[in-house]
Amino acid sequence: MSTQTNNLQEEQHTFSADGQQLHYRVIGMGTPLVLIHGFGVSSYLWQWTLPYLSAQHQVIVVDLPGHGRSTYVSPWCLRAMAPLLAQWLRSLQLPPVALMGQSMGGAIAAHLAASAPELISHLVLVSAVGVPLQTTYLQLVRRAFHSFFQPGNGSYPVELVRDILRPRPRVLWQAGHEVARSDFQRELATIMQPTLIIWGERDVLLPISLGYALQAALPHARLNTFPHCGHRPMLAEPALFSKLVLDFLHEN
C-alpha cells in the first residue's frame, strides 16, 4: 500500500513470524538503510530525517513489536528482537543493509550485526543501549520523563506523540525492565562492520559517558557528538544528523 506522508511517497507493509506482526514503511530508492527506533516510541522518531536519507537510499523504518502499529506476543524479550528482525530482513531478500538504531534500538541493531553479520554492511548507533547501564528501571523512567521535556530534543512529529501516548503498560513495563538489565558487551566485541556512534552531549537519559564506554567496547567504531542535543539528535538537528550519517555510509 502506498501513501503520501509529509510529501514523501512511502509504501506500508507488514511481516508476520512467531505470532508477531511487524509494520514497516519503505521510502526512497537506492541501497537499503534500515532504521530501528527506541523504547516507547515508534518509527516516526526518524520522520524529520527521511527527506534527507531517502534522497540517497531506500529507507526502511520498522515499528518494533508492541510499538507503533506492530503487535507483540507477551512476554516482551529484548534478545528476541534481533532474531525476529533477521527473519524479516531475509524475507526481503535485500543485499547487506546499513543499519541504524537509537537507544534500545541501538542494542537491537548491535545484536543483529553480531548475530547475522552477513545481513549488515554498516552500523550506526545513536544514543544507544549496549554496555551495562548500571541503573534501575525506576531511575530510567525518571530520566525518560526528564528527557522527553528536555530542551535540545527538537520537535516531535504528531504521529510520534500519538504513538508515545497510546496506552500499553504491559509492553512498557516488560521492555523497560529488559533495557535496565541489558548487557551486550560480548556481542559488541565481535562486531566487525564499520560503526558510527552518535550522541547528544546533553543526554540526560543515557549520559555521554555511556557513549565513550560503547566506543571502547566496539572494535571498529568512531564517536561523533552533538554539543547542544539531548537523547534524540535526529529530531533536534535532522539536516546535520542526516549529513553525518550519509557521509559515513559513503566513506566506508
Side-chain angles (χ1 to χ4, degrees), residues 125-140:
L125 302 176
V126 186
S127 315
V129 174
V131 298
L133 300 184
Q134 299 179 336
T135 188
T136 66
Y137 171 73
L138 291 179
Q139 288 173 328
L140 276 182

Side-chain angles (χ1 to χ4, degrees), residues 150-169:
Q150 178 190 13
N153 275 327
S155 63
Y156 290 82
V158 171
E159 301 93 339
L160 180 63
V161 174
R162 177 201 65 201
D163 289 339
I164 290 171
L165 296 178
R166 184 165 59 87
R168 57 228 150 100

Side-chain angles (χ1 to χ4, degrees), residues 83-221:
L84 175 65
L85 293 181
Q87 288 186 63
W88 166 59
L89 287 177
R90 290 188 178 105
S91 78
L92 297 178
Q93 299 182 322
L94 297 169
V97 305
L99 182 64
M100 179 157 61
Q102 193 263 350
S103 198
M104 179 183 75
I108 296 167
H111 187 196
L112 180 54
S115 60
E118 73 282 2
L119 299 177
I120 310 302
S121 64
H122 300 74
L123 184 62
V124 181
L125 302 176
V126 186
S127 315
V129 174
V131 298
L133 300 184
Q134 299 179 336
T135 188
T136 66
Y137 171 73
L138 291 179
Q139 288 173 328
L140 276 182
V141 170
R142 285 195 290 268
R143 289 187 201 169
F145 185 81
H146 183 184
S147 175
F148 184 79
F149 295 101
Q150 178 190 13
N153 275 327
S155 63
Y156 290 82
V158 171
E159 301 93 339
L160 180 63
V161 174
R162 177 201 65 201
D163 289 339
I164 290 171
L165 296 178
R166 184 165 59 87
R168 57 228 150 100
R170 179 177 294 181
V171 70
L172 294 180
W173 174 265
Q174 293 173 343
H177 280 277
E178 289 275 302
V179 169
R181 60 174 177 257
S182 64
D183 182 357
F184 288 88
Q185 289 184 106
R186 182 177 299 178
E187 288 81 5
L188 293 172
T190 70
I191 292 174
M192 293 294 109
Q193 294 91 339
T195 303
L196 172 66
I197 302 170
I198 302 175
W199 222 278
E201 294 183 14
R202 297 185 179 182
D203 194 331
V204 296
L205 178 55
L206 300 180
I208 186 65
S209 59
L210 292 172
Y212 292 113
L214 187 63
Q215 182 186 26
L218 281 160
H220 302 281

